[in-house]
């Protein structure tokens, strides 16, 4: 810059600087760029060509289907075990004695449950749902023991957790004993157990369905039927609980032979007086 200014000051003219030449791109280089671009796009298409292969999707769908079937089979297997069943808790005599029951008369009377077995012991059915044909089947089985229970002097009772329209009245032909209301559902405890819709995938439940249907029993869907019931045989006084059957699934009825064996262990006040 100094040299140029000095020349201008002396009246000289600076020599022009050489400018870089700009030559138009040759046709060859354009073709190379075009070829490289097309090659890259062809490679990308080749990499995605597997998506156009029908076998790829068929294998994928088969894998998904096989996985779904495996998961369903595992769920079905586990549903037919006791893994997901509610664990029962044994009732104590003190717990049962303190339960409040009501008669089903127009003017109901409330009393403590121990009145049922205080003198002669008792066989008590905690009905899951009076309208259920499986419960009606079990009630009929227990009622078939009534003549032998009468000989032993042991009464037969049932408790229900709700009174809906004529449900209890419609249940009465299947059960040959007195029925009481357990509004607080204490006979279904101490730990209430429920079976929800899982019960309908259990093979045992379906077997019970067919057994009861073949036995000529029918019912309805009125009322709460998910809280599981049971059967108790209780001795008089402080003799205690001689049998406690907890329903583990729909239609899991008590063995009548076991009920009768437990009832024979009952020492009623009448038999005790005769022994003396």
């Amino acid at each position: 810059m100094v040299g140029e200014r000095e020349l201008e000051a002396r009246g000289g003219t600076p020599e022009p600087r050489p400018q870089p030449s700009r030559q138009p791109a040759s046709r060859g280089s354009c073709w190379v760029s075009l070829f490289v671009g097309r090659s890259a796009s062809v490679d990308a298409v080749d990499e995605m060509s597997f998506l156009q292969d029908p076998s790829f999707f068929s294998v994928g769908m088969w894998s998904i289907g096989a996985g779904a079937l495996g998961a369903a089979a595992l769920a079905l297997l586990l549903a037919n075990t006791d893994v997901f069943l509610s664990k029962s808790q044994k009732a104590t005599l003190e717990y049962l004695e303190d339960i409040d029951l009501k008669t089903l008369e127009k003017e109901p009377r409330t009393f403590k449950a121990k009145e049922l077995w205080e003198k002669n012991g008792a066989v008590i059915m905690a009905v899951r749902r009076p309208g259920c044909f499986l419960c009606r089947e079990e009630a009929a089985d227990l009622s078939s023991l009534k003549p032998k229970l009468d000989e032993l002097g042991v009464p037969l009772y049932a408790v229900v957790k709700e009174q809906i329209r004529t449900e209890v009245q419609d249940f009465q032909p299947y059960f040959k004993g007195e029925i009481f209301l357990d509004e607080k559902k204490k006979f279904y405890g101490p730990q209430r157990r429920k079976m929800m819709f899982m019960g309908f995938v259990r093979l045992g439940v379906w077997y019970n369905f067919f057994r009861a249907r073949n036995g000529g029993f029918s019912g309805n869907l009125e009322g709460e039927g998910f809280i599981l019931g049971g059967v108790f045989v209780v001795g008089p006084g402080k003799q205690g609980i001689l049998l406690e059957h907890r329903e583990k699934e729909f239609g899991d009825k008590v063995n009548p032979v076991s009920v009768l064996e437990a009832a024979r262990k009952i020492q009623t006040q009448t038999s005790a007086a005769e022994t003396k």
Side-chain angles (χ1 to χ4, degrees):
M1 295 294 292
V2 176
E4 292 177 358
R5 290 176 182 174
E6 290 179 354
L7 289 174
E8 289 176 357
R10 294 176 183 176
T13 305
E15 295 181 359
R17 289 184 178 182
Q19 298 293 329
S21 61
R22 296 182 181 178
Q23 298 180 355
S26 64
R27 293 184 178 179
S29 61
C30 291
W31 284 108
V32 170
S33 301
L34 182 61
F35 176 75
V36 172
R38 288 185 176 178
S39 298
S41 62
V42 169
D43 291 340
V45 171
D46 290 340
E47 291 178 359
M48 302 297 292
S49 62
F50 69 93
L51 294 176
Q52 300 176 1
D53 186 1
S55 62
F56 171 78
F57 290 101
S58 62
V59 171
M61 294 303 294
W62 182 88
S63 300
I64 295 173
L69 287 175
L74 179 61
L76 183 62
L77 178 64
L78 292 175
N80 281 276
T81 65
D82 295 345
V83 174
F84 296 113
L85 293 182
S86 302
K87 304 302 179 183
S88 61
Q89 179 181 348
K90 292 286 185 180
T92 63
L93 181 63
E94 291 73 19
Y95 172 83
L96 295 180
E97 286 178 336
D98 199 45
I99 295 176
D100 290 324
L101 298 178
K102 283 185 178 181
T103 60
L104 299 179
E105 304 164 345
K106 290 184 178 180
E107 296 181 1
R109 178 179 72 90
T110 302
F111 64 96
K112 293 296 182 182
K114 66 179 181 180
E115 289 186 20
L116 298 180
W117 60 79
E118 196 167 24
K119 293 182 178 180
N120 299 311
V123 176
I124 305 166
M125 177 183 179
V127 183
R128 180 167 53 82
R129 190 169 64 82
C132 173
F133 68 103
L134 296 172
C135 298
R136 292 177 174 182
E137 179 194 29
E138 184 173 26
D141 285 351
L142 290 174
S143 295
S144 68
L145 302 177
K146 189 72 166 58
K148 294 181 180 179
L149 293 176
D150 288 343
E151 291 177 5
L152 296 171
V154 178
L156 176 65
Y157 301 116
V159 296
V160 295
K161 50 180 158 350
E162 57 187 355
Q163 187 177 11
I164 301 176
R165 291 186 285 276
T166 62
E167 288 302 298
V168 176
Q169 183 180 346
D170 296 339
F171 181 72
Q172 194 73 64
Y174 303 95
F175 189 77
K176 306 302 181 183
E178 277 191 86
I179 303 175
F180 303 98
L181 179 62
D182 177 14
E183 287 183 319
K184 297 181 180 179
K185 306 177 180 65
K186 292 289 188 177
F187 263 101
Y188 303 85
Q191 180 179 338
R192 293 179 196 169
R193 298 160 303 111
K194 286 187 177 183
M195 173 161 281
M196 306 299 285
F197 297 104
M198 182 185 71
F200 296 102
V201 298
R202 289 180 64 88
L203 298 179
V205 172
W206 283 100
Y207 171 80
N208 297 337
F209 283 167
F210 288 117
R211 182 197 63 216
R213 288 294 185 190
N214 291 335
F217 294 93
S218 60
N220 56 55
L221 299 176
E222 295 287 338
E224 196 284 324
F226 294 122
I227 298 177
L228 299 173
V231 174
F232 300 87
V233 178
V234 187
K238 295 298 181 179
Q239 188 178 1
I241 302 172
L242 303 176
L243 182 144
E244 181 177 353
H245 170 77
R246 296 287 185 173
E247 187 181 23
K248 74 174 186 178
E249 62 184 6
F250 301 145
D252 177 32
K253 61 181 183 175
V254 69
N255 187 343
V257 176
S258 300
V259 173
L260 198 56
E261 288 177 354
R264 289 195 174 106
K265 297 177 184 178
I266 291 177
Q267 295 294 324
T268 64
Q269 288 188 355
T270 302
S271 61
E274 290 175 354
T275 304
K276 291 181 181 179

